[in-house]
Amino acid sequence: MMSRHEELVRLKSHGDLIAYATLQPGLSHFDTSYGRWSYRRVWGVDVTLGGPLCTPSDNADMLRAFLAHSRRPLLCYVRRDLLNDLKGSGLHATGMGVDRHVDIERLLHAPSPEIASARKKARKAGLSLQPLNLRDVGQALRAELDAVQAEYLTRAQCSVEMSFINRPMDYADDGMRRFFTLQTREGLLGFGALNPVFEGGAITHYLLDVLRFRKTRLWGVWLACVTLLAEQLRKEGLGLTLGFAPLHHIETLPHCSRGATMQMQGMARWLGSAQYVQRLRELKALVPGTEEPRFLASHTRVALVNLLTLMEASGVGARRFFGPDLLRTVARSLRAQRLRILGKGGPDEA
């Protein structure tokens, strides 16, 4: 039987790709008779995940009720429409990055040279995506999947599995999330998970939320996998989204706080060249599509505090998230800023 939360995700998420992630274990929930808002408390701050699950006309009432409940709110990963209800709330709003939605027709019919090359190499290697039914995952296959996961995280820039904004890999079959394996002629290469995106009770898109694979000489596995998924979902009449690119294209709107936005744009310049953030942005930019801005609204306008709180809510510290090049990234940005101040023509990082 479907839970109330699952029903709200299906009927009241209105195409928000993060709504399904609110079903993950470990979150708290603020409930009213007309909706639910999911959050995680970190350092006394209530960090929400996306907007409330309710009818859009109830957004303002949900916001007022939640702000009465929470002394130190951080509304995270919200969409543009919720900003209209923030007037008079005392919260400081700013952009925080963008979601990347795939233009499947352009991807399949006019791929970039990088994507075309990745697809060609994948065909040569016999790369394919195979549906994974969790009921068929026995002990041996589970051990192999766990080994892929462990190896992937060991060499990854962010070496722990993020939660909150991402839903961690699990083996619970709720009938909504889809799983697949990556196979080559040599056997299992990796696995992935797709989160459903609902509009009016029906699935319209899937979010590529998890993709893990072994170390391989095959170039462009991520790009090839995106192409294969696009081909499959196109046959089903469904869309594909690649999710969040943090600190990218920080959008300024009339409802945003000027001070908070300037600080977040500064953080984007300081930390946007960190290897994890830069690689994520560059990969997704190779896939044709559109960008949807995401915002946060906080009790404080201090961007660093908000970013660190979000990282803690996601189960990773800033050093893990940005990797061992964090200090080098900050130092590089400081040097560039000093050169600009001295008029010596430092690199433009805007």
PDB file of all heavy atoms in Angstrom, residues 230-250:
ATOM      1  N   ALA A 230      19.265   7.893 -22.953  1.00  0.00           N
ATOM      2  CA  ALA A 230      18.416   8.759 -23.772  1.00  0.00           C
ATOM      3  C   ALA A 230      17.711   7.962 -24.864  1.00  0.00           C
ATOM      4  O   ALA A 230      16.516   8.182 -25.142  1.00  0.00           O
ATOM      5  CB  ALA A 230      19.260   9.876 -24.389  1.00  0.00           C
ATOM      6  N   GLU A 231      18.426   7.030 -25.471  1.00  0.00           N
ATOM      7  CA  GLU A 231      17.815   6.193 -26.509  1.00  0.00           C
ATOM      8  C   GLU A 231      16.660   5.374 -25.940  1.00  0.00           C
ATOM      9  O   GLU A 231      15.579   5.277 -26.551  1.00  0.00           O
ATOM     10  CB  GLU A 231      18.872   5.263 -27.111  1.00  0.00           C
ATOM     11  CG  GLU A 231      19.908   5.973 -27.957  1.00  0.00           C
ATOM     12  CD  GLU A 231      21.011   5.036 -28.427  1.00  0.00           C
ATOM     13  OE1 GLU A 231      21.105   3.895 -27.903  1.00  0.00           O
ATOM     14  OE2 GLU A 231      21.796   5.436 -29.305  1.00  0.00           O
ATOM     15  N   GLN A 232      16.870   4.787 -24.768  1.00  0.00           N
ATOM     16  CA  GLN A 232      15.826   3.959 -24.162  1.00  0.00           C
ATOM     17  C   GLN A 232      14.621   4.792 -23.741  1.00  0.00           C
ATOM     18  O   GLN A 232      13.470   4.427 -24.011  1.00  0.00           O
ATOM     19  CB  GLN A 232      16.397   3.224 -22.950  1.00  0.00           C
ATOM     20  CG  GLN A 232      15.388   2.356 -22.205  1.00  0.00           C
ATOM     21  CD  GLN A 232      14.777   1.285 -23.080  1.00  0.00           C
ATOM     22  OE1 GLN A 232      15.473   0.649 -23.871  1.00  0.00           O
ATOM     23  NE2 GLN A 232      13.466   1.079 -22.964  1.00  0.00           N
ATOM     24  N   LEU A 233      14.863   5.910 -23.073  1.00  0.00           N
ATOM     25  CA  LEU A 233      13.760   6.732 -22.577  1.00  0.00           C
ATOM     26  C   LEU A 233      13.001   7.390 -23.722  1.00  0.00           C
ATOM     27  O   LEU A 233      11.790   7.622 -23.618  1.00  0.00           O
ATOM     28  CB  LEU A 233      14.279   7.780 -21.596  1.00  0.00           C
ATOM     29  CG  LEU A 233      14.835   7.197 -20.289  1.00  0.00           C
ATOM     30  CD1 LEU A 233      15.426   8.307 -19.411  1.00  0.00           C
ATOM     31  CD2 LEU A 233      13.752   6.447 -19.515  1.00  0.00           C
ATOM     32  N   ARG A 234      13.670   7.704 -24.808  1.00  0.00           N
ATOM     33  CA  ARG A 234      12.979   8.256 -25.982  1.00  0.00           C
ATOM     34  C   ARG A 234      11.957   7.252 -26.513  1.00  0.00           C
ATOM     35  O   ARG A 234      10.844   7.622 -26.899  1.00  0.00           O
ATOM     36  CB  ARG A 234      13.991   8.606 -27.065  1.00  0.00           C
ATOM     37  CG  ARG A 234      13.375   9.236 -28.319  1.00  0.00           C
ATOM     38  CD  ARG A 234      14.474   9.622 -29.296  1.00  0.00           C
ATOM     39  NE  ARG A 234      13.935  10.243 -30.496  1.00  0.00           N
ATOM     40  CZ  ARG A 234      13.555   9.569 -31.576  1.00  0.00           C
ATOM     41  NH1 ARG A 234      13.644   8.224 -31.594  1.00  0.00           N
ATOM     42  NH2 ARG A 234      13.081  10.204 -32.637  1.00  0.00           N
ATOM     43  N   LYS A 235      12.317   5.975 -26.525  1.00  0.00           N
ATOM     44  CA  LYS A 235      11.378   4.946 -26.975  1.00  0.00           C
ATOM     45  C   LYS A 235      10.155   4.885 -26.075  1.00  0.00           C
ATOM     46  O   LYS A 235       9.055   4.533 -26.521  1.00  0.00           O
ATOM     47  CB  LYS A 235      12.070   3.579 -26.973  1.00  0.00           C
ATOM     48  CG  LYS A 235      13.184   3.443 -27.992  1.00  0.00           C
ATOM     49  CD  LYS A 235      13.873   2.090 -27.847  1.00  0.00           C
ATOM     50  CE  LYS A 235      15.058   1.963 -28.792  1.00  0.00           C
ATOM     51  NZ  LYS A 235      15.778   0.665 -28.599  1.00  0.00           N
ATOM     52  N   GLU A 236      10.336   5.233 -24.785  1.00  0.00           N
ATOM     53  CA  GLU A 236       9.238   5.188 -23.824  1.00  0.00           C
ATOM     54  C   GLU A 236       8.473   6.513 -23.751  1.00  0.00           C
ATOM     55  O   GLU A 236       7.525   6.623 -22.981  1.00  0.00           O
ATOM     56  CB  GLU A 236       9.790   4.844 -22.439  1.00  0.00           C
ATOM     57  CG  GLU A 236      10.505   3.504 -22.386  1.00  0.00           C
ATOM     58  CD  GLU A 236      11.149   3.247 -21.025  1.00  0.00           C
ATOM     59  OE1 GLU A 236      10.724   3.887 -20.031  1.00  0.00           O
ATOM     60  OE2 GLU A 236      12.075   2.421 -20.937  1.00  0.00           O
ATOM     61  N   GLY A 237       8.910   7.507 -24.531  1.00  0.00           N
ATOM     62  CA  GLY A 237       8.255   8.809 -24.494  1.00  0.00           C
ATOM     63  C   GLY A 237       8.546   9.594 -23.230  1.00  0.00           C
ATOM     64  O   GLY A 237       7.731  10.421 -22.808  1.00  0.00           O
ATOM     65  N   LEU A 238       9.710   9.345 -22.620  1.00  0.00           N
ATOM     66  CA  LEU A 238      10.069   9.989 -21.353  1.00  0.00           C
ATOM     67  C   LEU A 238      11.321  10.843 -21.517  1.00  0.00           C
ATOM     68  O   LEU A 238      12.106  10.644 -22.445  1.00  0.00           O
ATOM     69  CB  LEU A 238      10.314   8.930 -20.271  1.00  0.00           C
ATOM     70  CG  LEU A 238       9.123   8.038 -19.923  1.00  0.00           C
ATOM     71  CD1 LEU A 238       9.542   6.905 -19.005  1.00  0.00           C
ATOM     72  CD2 LEU A 238       8.006   8.858 -19.286  1.00  0.00           C
ATOM     73  N   GLY A 239      11.504  11.792 -20.607  1.00  0.00           N
ATOM     74  CA  GLY A 239      12.659  12.662 -20.633  1.00  0.00           C
ATOM     75  C   GLY A 239      13.744  12.196 -19.684  1.00  0.00           C
ATOM     76  O   GLY A 239      13.557  11.287 -18.869  1.00  0.00           O
ATOM     77  N   LEU A 240      14.908  12.859 -19.774  1.00  0.00           N
ATOM     78  CA  LEU A 240      16.068  12.528 -18.943  1.00  0.00           C
ATOM     79  C   LEU A 240      16.665  13.816 -18.400  1.00  0.00           C
ATOM     80  O   LEU A 240      16.812  14.806 -19.124  1.00  0.00           O
ATOM     81  CB  LEU A 240      17.113  11.782 -19.775  1.00  0.00           C
ATOM     82  CG  LEU A 240      18.456  11.462 -19.096  1.00  0.00           C
ATOM     83  CD1 LEU A 240      18.260  10.523 -17.914  1.00  0.00           C
ATOM     84  CD2 LEU A 240      19.437  10.869 -20.109  1.00  0.00           C
ATOM     85  N   THR A 241      16.998  13.809 -17.135  1.00  0.00           N
ATOM     86  CA  THR A 241      17.677  14.946 -16.527  1.00  0.00           C
ATOM     87  C   THR A 241      18.914  14.455 -15.805  1.00  0.00           C
ATOM     88  O   THR A 241      18.943  13.319 -15.301  1.00  0.00           O
ATOM     89  CB  THR A 241      16.739  15.707 -15.573  1.00  0.00           C
ATOM     90  OG1 THR A 241      17.403  16.851 -15.045  1.00  0.00           O
ATOM     91  CG2 THR A 241      16.286  14.826 -14.428  1.00  0.00           C
ATOM     92  N   LEU A 242      19.949  15.294 -15.774  1.00  0.00           N
ATOM     93  CA  LEU A 242      21.242  14.910 -15.216  1.00  0.00           C
ATOM     94  C   LEU A 242      21.476  15.485 -13.837  1.00  0.00           C
ATOM     95  O   LEU A 242      22.518  15.244 -13.230  1.00  0.00           O
ATOM     96  CB  LEU A 242      22.367  15.346 -16.163  1.00  0.00           C
ATOM     97  CG  LEU A 242      22.281  14.782 -17.583  1.00  0.00           C
ATOM     98  CD1 LEU A 242      23.415  15.329 -18.440  1.00  0.00           C
ATOM     99  CD2 LEU A 242      22.294  13.264 -17.576  1.00  0.00           C
ATOM    100  N   GLY A 243      20.535  16.296 -13.346  1.00  0.00           N
ATOM    101  CA  GLY A 243      20.652  16.776 -11.988  1.00  0.00           C
ATOM    102  C   GLY A 243      21.512  18.014 -11.842  1.00  0.00           C
ATOM    103  O   GLY A 243      21.697  18.798 -12.771  1.00  0.00           O
ATOM    104  N   PHE A 244      22.090  18.166 -10.657  1.00  0.00           N
ATOM    105  CA  PHE A 244      22.611  19.432 -10.179  1.00  0.00           C
ATOM    106  C   PHE A 244      24.065  19.684 -10.580  1.00  0.00           C
ATOM    107  O   PHE A 244      24.900  18.792 -10.493  1.00  0.00           O
ATOM    108  CB  PHE A 244      22.501  19.452  -8.655  1.00  0.00           C
ATOM    109  CG  PHE A 244      22.741  20.777  -8.009  1.00  0.00           C
ATOM    110  CD1 PHE A 244      22.145  21.933  -8.482  1.00  0.00           C
ATOM    111  CD2 PHE A 244      23.566  20.864  -6.897  1.00  0.00           C
ATOM    112  CE1 PHE A 244      22.357  23.153  -7.865  1.00  0.00           C
ATOM    113  CE2 PHE A 244      23.784  22.075  -6.262  1.00  0.00           C
ATOM    114  CZ  PHE A 244      23.184  23.224  -6.754  1.00  0.00           C
ATOM    115  N   ALA A 245      24.338  20.924 -11.009  1.00  0.00           N
ATOM    116  CA  ALA A 245      25.697  21.424 -11.191  1.00  0.00           C
ATOM    117  C   ALA A 245      25.880  22.553 -10.185  1.00  0.00           C
ATOM    118  O   ALA A 245      25.393  23.668 -10.398  1.00  0.00           O
ATOM    119  CB  ALA A 245      25.911  21.917 -12.615  1.00  0.00           C
ATOM    120  N   PRO A 246      26.554  22.296  -9.061  1.00  0.00           N
ATOM    121  CA  PRO A 246      26.649  23.301  -7.997  1.00  0.00           C
ATOM    122  C   PRO A 246      27.533  24.478  -8.382  1.00  0.00           C
ATOM    123  O   PRO A 246      28.473  24.342  -9.167  1.00  0.00           O
ATOM    124  CB  PRO A 246      27.254  22.514  -6.825  1.00  0.00           C
ATOM    125  CG  PRO A 246      28.007  21.402  -7.472  1.00  0.00           C
ATOM    126  CD  PRO A 246      27.243  21.040  -8.704  1.00  0.00           C
ATOM    127  N   LEU A 247      27.205  25.655  -7.838  1.00  0.00           N
ATOM    128  CA  LEU A 247      28.010  26.866  -8.018  1.00  0.00           C
ATOM    129  C   LEU A 247      28.190  27.220  -9.493  1.00  0.00           C
ATOM    130  O   LEU A 247      29.228  27.754  -9.903  1.00  0.00           O
ATOM    131  CB  LEU A 247      29.375  26.706  -7.347  1.00  0.00           C
ATOM    132  CG  LEU A 247      29.354  26.464  -5.838  1.00  0.00           C
ATOM    133  CD1 LEU A 247      30.765  26.211  -5.325  1.00  0.00           C
ATOM    134  CD2 LEU A 247      28.718  27.627  -5.103  1.00  0.00           C
ATOM    135  N   HIS A 248      27.178  26.951 -10.286  1.00  0.00           N
ATOM    136  CA  HIS A 248      27.252  27.206 -11.732  1.00  0.00           C
ATOM    137  C   HIS A 248      26.107  28.121 -12.139  1.00  0.00           C
ATOM    138  O   HIS A 248      24.948  27.878 -11.804  1.00  0.00           O
ATOM    139  CB  HIS A 248      27.183  25.884 -12.487  1.00  0.00           C
ATOM    140  CG  HIS A 248      27.385  26.011 -13.966  1.00  0.00           C
ATOM    141  ND1 HIS A 248      28.420  26.734 -14.521  1.00  0.00           N
ATOM    142  CD2 HIS A 248      26.686  25.511 -15.012  1.00  0.00           C
ATOM    143  CE1 HIS A 248      28.349  26.658 -15.835  1.00  0.00           C
ATOM    144  NE2 HIS A 248      27.302  25.933 -16.158  1.00  0.00           N
ATOM    145  N   HIS A 249      26.441  29.183 -12.859  1.00  0.00           N
ATOM    146  CA  HIS A 249      25.441  30.140 -13.334  1.00  0.00           C
ATOM    147  C   HIS A 249      24.521  30.603 -12.208  1.00  0.00           C
ATOM    148  O   HIS A 249      23.310  30.362 -12.234  1.00  0.00           O
ATOM    149  CB  HIS A 249      24.620  29.546 -14.478  1.00  0.00           C
ATOM    150  CG  HIS A 249      25.401  29.385 -15.743  1.00  0.00           C
ATOM    151  ND1 HIS A 249      24.914  28.703 -16.832  1.00  0.00           N
ATOM    152  CD2 HIS A 249      26.643  29.822 -16.106  1.00  0.00           C
ATOM    153  CE1 HIS A 249      25.823  28.722 -17.803  1.00  0.00           C
ATOM    154  NE2 HIS A 249      26.880  29.400 -17.385  1.00  0.00           N
ATOM    155  N   ILE A 250      25.098  31.225 -11.200  1.00  0.00           N
ATOM    156  CA  ILE A 250      24.330  31.734 -10.065  1.00  0.00           C
ATOM    157  C   ILE A 250      23.408  32.848 -10.561  1.00  0.00           C
ATOM    158  O   ILE A 250      23.854  33.927 -10.921  1.00  0.00           O
ATOM    159  CB  ILE A 250      25.257  32.274  -8.959  1.00  0.00           C
ATOM    160  CG1 ILE A 250      26.265  31.205  -8.527  1.00  0.00           C
ATOM    161  CG2 ILE A 250      24.439  32.768  -7.774  1.00  0.00           C
ATOM    162  CD1 ILE A 250      25.646  29.958  -7.961  1.00  0.00           C
TER     163      ILE A 250
END
